[in-house]
Amino acid sequence: MGKHDAKQPKLHFEQKRSTRLGELEQGPQAAEGRDLTAEDQGEDLRTLMLEMRSSLRNIDTKLDNLTSQLDSVKAQVSTHETRFYRTPISLKRMGLRETDECWRCGSASASFLHIAWSCPRLKGYWSQVFVSVNQIVGRSDVPSPLLGLLGYVRDTPPTERRLHALLLLFAKRRVAIHLGRQRVPAVRDWLADVTYGHTQLTTFWELMPAAARPRDIWDPFVCWAREHQSRESEKDTLSE
């Protein structure tokens, strides 16, 4: 009996609460003909406050979800812009940018050729890359998008052609990494990328059987890199 009596107040409160919630949902007409005591009014206020707090929590949760979705969309746009070379022209057509100006120089109608090659702020980078590549492979090619962007190398032996194409591929990759940024890629970053690629490929080839290893195409680059490092060290010494 004692346990049964202890449950009675709780059951009575839950019944009254469910009744009042039903009346609140149905409107003020449901409470007509019944006098509301101070206790009932206080309970109504507490119920309303609980409902308001629950609604506010739901709103906060929805706002957090919307913010997370917006951040995800922005990240996807940024990734696609880099991965698929989204140009200012295409981004404006998609409604993701207000203008089609180049983010580096401000030129209007910035196409893929502009952002990857002909932008005035990229000319210095490509010129230095071609000077270095010509020194490595022993050529005198004039900078052109056919070589720099497409890697269209002709009139060279297959081994040198592979190295030539790889060097230009790393140069184009460095431009792609800087898409959407005002900062211009630097030749030292390109050189670091090539050095890393050489290290990784060499490590992979060393794991292969000797008979199956491809001919080392990196010898011209290794020799040039040593001379380049020596020249840079001499410059640093003279500047000090």
Side-chain angles (χ1 to χ4, degrees), residues 72-101:
S72 177
V73 170
K74 289 181 178 179
Q76 291 177 7
V77 170
S78 177
T79 302
H80 292 169
E81 182 178 342
T82 301
R83 184 177 300 172
F84 300 110
Y85 299 98
R86 297 295 187 191
T87 64
I89 293 178
S90 62
L91 290 174
K92 182 182 178 182
R93 290 174 181 172
M94 295 166 62
L96 299 176
R97 289 194 66 185
E98 296 181 357
T99 66
D100 58 2
E101 297 178 352

Side-chain angles (χ1 to χ4, degrees), residues 181-201:
R181 308 177 186 176
Q182 292 186 353
R183 180 175 177 268
V184 179
V187 175
R188 63 177 178 274
D189 297 330
W190 164 73
L191 182 58
D193 292 342
V194 177
T195 303
Y196 178 78
H198 163 251
T199 303
Q200 295 298 313
L201 286 175

Side-chain angles (χ1 to χ4, degrees), residues 117 125-143 147-148 151 153 156 160-172 187 190-191 194 218 220-221 224 228 231:
W117 180 264
Y125 168 76
W126 279 116
S127 297
Q128 295 179 33
V129 166
F130 267 81
V131 169
S132 300
V133 171
N134 286 336
Q135 292 175 355
I136 294 171
V137 298
R139 294 175 62 91
S140 57
D141 294 322
V142 178
L147 279 172
V153 181
T156 54
E160 296 179 3
R161 189 183 310 158
R162 290 173 60 190
L163 176 60
H164 199 173
L166 279 173
L167 295 173
L168 295 174
L169 177 64
F170 279 111
K172 182 176 67 173
V187 175
W190 164 73
L191 182 58
V194 177
W218 292 95
F221 170 74
W224 177 87
H228 177 75
R231 289 193 299 268

